[in-house]
């Protein structure tokens, strides 16, 4: 299998056509006490599509990600993944959750397990994959993200960029239908950001369906089919990256862009 980072060239990945709806949020509402964090969010991510979500701190981006795999419940509305509504609990929830890979800002690796064990455990425990099979696949994934030589170390012995690439491999080991990234490079030293983004661009190029919360506009321009701008719990605007960055229509998006660009 090709090394994901090696595949990354500046060419756009977005010429690749996208398929039908895979993740569909419809009229999603979420409160934390008096705080209305998601306000009637409608959002569709199509098969093979890369959607970048941007917006100010506190606008609901992380909550949006967390509702998609039910780390948070929703108050009303629906979320379907591959045509099935997310159940509240039970075995169906576990199965649907396995369809959604998640990569967080803080890498969240098991600190006392080796890199290889981190990537092997999920398929063995949650999917009943034979350990030897899971190990072979884990090594293949670690090669893909360029950290196979670190397989027998503990996470703390790796750089932040390497740990985040392990976290990506761990999510991929579950064979998710969609990958969610919540500010995957925000906790990294600047020199490590690109090694993680390159892996993500490689994934996009291979056709992975991705929802990516990030402020990395270079990544959005390189890999996103669509940019979704959130503010105050609402999807305020969505457009292809070129249109969004050159001609945002809402005042709120223009204000936000003027601060970060
Ligand atoms: P973003 O990721 O865009 O910065 P979040 O989704 O993390 O935004 O947060 C949206 C709002 O919800 C913020 O005002 C945040 O303080 C609040 N919030 C997030 N999680 C919780 C929680 N578990 N309990 C109460 N308020 C929360
Ligand atoms: Mg957040």
């Amino acid at each position: 299998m090709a090394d994901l980072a090696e595949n990354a060239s500046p060419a756009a990945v977005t010429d690749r056509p996208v398929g039908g709806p895979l993740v569909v949020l419809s009229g999603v509402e979420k409160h934390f006490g008096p705080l209305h964090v998601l306000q009637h969010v409608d959002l569709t991510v199509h098969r093979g599509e890369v959607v970048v979500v941007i917006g100010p701190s506190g606008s609901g981006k992380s909550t949006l990600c967390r509702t998609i795999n039910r780390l948070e419940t929703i108050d009303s509305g629906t979320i379907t993944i591959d045509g099935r509504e997310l159940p509240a609990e039970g075995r169906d929830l576990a199965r649907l959750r396995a369809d959604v890979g998640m990569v967080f800002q803080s890498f969240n690796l098991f600190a006392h397990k080796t890199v290889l064990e981190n990537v092997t455990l999920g398929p063995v425990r949650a999917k009943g994959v034979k350990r030897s099979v899971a190990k072979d696949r884990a090594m293949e994934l670690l090669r893909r993200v360029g950290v196979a030589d670190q397989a027998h170390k503990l996470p703390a012995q790796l750089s932040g960029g390497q740990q985040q690439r392990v976290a990506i491999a761990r999510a991929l080991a579950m064979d998710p239908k969609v990958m969610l990234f919540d500010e995957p490079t925000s906790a990294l030293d600047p020199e490590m950001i690109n090694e993680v983004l390159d892996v993500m661009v490689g994934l996009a190029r291979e056709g992975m369906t991705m929802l990516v919360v990030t402020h990395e506009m270079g990544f959005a321009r390189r890999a996103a089919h669509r940019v979704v701008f959130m503010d105050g719990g609402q999807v305020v605007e969505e457009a292809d990256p070129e249109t969004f960055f050159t001609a945002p229509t809402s005042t709120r998006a223009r204000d936000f862009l003027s601060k970060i660009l």
Side-chain angles (χ1 to χ4, degrees):
M1 192 179 297
D3 180 328
L4 285 172
E6 226 166 62
N7 284 343
S9 81
V13 291
T14 48
D15 298 338
R16 184 165 53 64
V18 302
L22 182 63
V23 179
V24 181
L25 285 79
S26 182
V28 169
E29 307 278 352
K30 172 73 182 173
H31 296 78
F32 286 119
L35 210 59
H36 198 175
V37 208
L38 295 178
Q39 304 187 17
H40 207 86
V41 170
D42 295 324
L43 178 68
T44 299
V45 184
H46 301 83
R47 216 172 285 280
E49 189 179 27
V50 180
V51 174
V52 162
V53 178
I54 68 170
S57 179
S59 57
K61 306 181 298 296
S62 293
T63 305
L64 176 79
C65 287
R66 293 166 59 81
T67 60
I68 292 176
N69 66 357
R70 279 286 167 126
L71 288 171
E72 298 286 358
T73 57
I74 57 177
D75 300 333
S76 60
T78 57
I79 301 176
T80 60
I81 294 175
D82 214 1
R84 291 186 302 183
E85 191 163 345
L86 280 186
E89 55 191 17
R91 192 171 295 180
D92 287 348
L93 175 61
R95 199 174 60 228
L96 272 187
R97 221 177 236 166
D99 287 342
V100 182
M102 182 129 184
V103 175
F104 302 88
Q105 178 175 337
S106 54
F107 326 120
N108 290 10
L109 296 171
F110 303 117
H112 303 292
K113 307 255 181 226
T114 66
V115 162
L116 181 59
E117 284 164 344
N118 264 279
V119 183
T120 307
L121 271 179
V124 170
R125 285 194 184 160
K127 293 188 132 183
V129 176
K130 261 178 69 181
R131 180 164 283 278
S132 60
V133 173
K135 260 190 171 170
D136 287 349
R137 170 107 165 99
M139 281 310 300
E140 181 186 309
L141 288 167
L142 290 172
R143 262 194 301 280
R144 263 173 92 181
V145 301
V147 291
D149 52 341
Q150 311 293 316
H152 300 288
K153 294 186 180 167
L154 291 173
Q157 297 173 280
L158 274 59
S159 72
Q162 289 172 326
Q163 289 187 55
Q164 195 59 305
R165 286 183 284 151
V166 173
I168 293 172
R170 184 176 63 173
L172 291 173
M174 298 294 280
D175 286 322
K177 290 179 178 165
V178 54
M179 287 279 285
L180 310 179
F181 293 86
D182 189 3
E183 303 207 28
T185 60
S186 296
L188 297 176
D189 291 335
E191 73 272 20
M192 292 172 190
I193 290 175
N194 278 332
E195 68 191 44
V196 172
L197 293 179
D198 285 348
V199 166
M200 292 166 62
V201 171
L203 264 184
R205 197 174 290 269
E206 290 189 355
M208 177 59 78
T209 307
M210 295 162 64
L211 183 77
V212 183
V213 178
T214 185
H215 292 154
E216 293 292 335
M217 299 304 132
F219 172 82
R221 283 181 187 268
R222 231 165 122 200
H225 293 88
R226 195 150 48 96
V227 173
V228 169
F229 174 69
M230 283 187 74
D231 192 18
Q234 297 171 323
V235 172
V236 173
E237 186 168 346
E238 40 186 320
D240 66 90
E242 193 53 36
T243 307
F244 181 77
F245 291 120
T246 55
T249 56
S250 63
T251 315
R252 288 197 273 181
R254 278 201 295 271
D255 281 356
F256 178 71
L257 287 174
S258 72
K259 283 177 199 143
I260 63 160
L261 291 180

